[in-house]
Amino acid sequence: PSDRVLLDVGGKRFETTRNILTTAQTLAPGSVLGQHEGRLQADGYIFINRNGEMFQYILDFLRAYSMGDGHAAFAIHELPETQLAAMLHELDYYGLESA
């Protein structure tokens, strides 16, 4: 689809839609997820120099939230304490710390 967005986050590749990234903008106006268009690489991916493992949880959260899932952040809140600290750092970077 034309709204498809390819992301390379810390070497881990993801595929999503502009609608999902717009969800981040709705939750956190000014979220950096809508500000990476200028980093388009030759292979069509937008590169974000962040933790790809943590981004997987963030993208899952955004997908669930956009579908109206009231428990969208459950997986994030259930992370072990050491991972949760790293996740909070990532959420802060993306402007989604309230997730």
Side-chain angles (χ1 to χ4, degrees), residues 1-6 15-19 37:
S2 62
D3 70 335
R4 188 176 83 166
V5 178
L6 304 174
E15 185 174 330
T16 191
T17 64
R18 290 192 190 284
N19 183 48
E37 304 249 345

Side-chain angles (χ1 to χ4, degrees), residues 10-24:
K12 190 166 180 164
R13 292 188 164 199
F14 300 91
E15 185 174 330
T16 191
T17 64
R18 290 192 190 284
N19 183 48
I20 297 300
L21 298 182
T22 300
T23 298

Side-chain angles (χ1 to χ4, degrees):
S2 62
D3 70 335
R4 188 176 83 166
V5 178
L6 304 174
L7 301 170
D8 177 342
V9 183
K12 190 166 180 164
R13 292 188 164 199
F14 300 91
E15 185 174 330
T16 191
T17 64
R18 290 192 190 284
N19 183 48
I20 297 300
L21 298 182
T22 300
T23 298
Q25 290 289 322
T26 302
L27 284 170
S31 172
V32 297
L33 285 175
Q35 301 173 13
H36 289 281
E37 304 249 345
R39 297 182 184 184
L40 190 64
Q41 301 177 120
D43 60 3
Y45 282 80
I46 297 169
F47 180 71
I48 302 172
N49 192 19
R50 299 301 294 185
N51 186 323
E53 296 298 320
M54 293 291 123
F55 186 75
Q56 182 172 337
Y57 289 99
I58 293 170
L59 188 56
D60 286 345
F61 161 73
L62 292 171
R63 287 173 174 152
Y65 186 87
S66 73
M67 301 290 287
D69 184 349
H71 302 287
F74 181 78
I76 290 173
H77 293 289
E78 290 299 309
L79 288 170
E81 192 173 325
T82 54
Q83 284 184 310
L84 187 56
M87 175 57 75
L88 292 175
H89 185 70
E90 293 299 301
L91 289 169
D92 183 54
Y93 172 78
Y94 291 110
L96 297 169
E97 57 277 340
S98 62

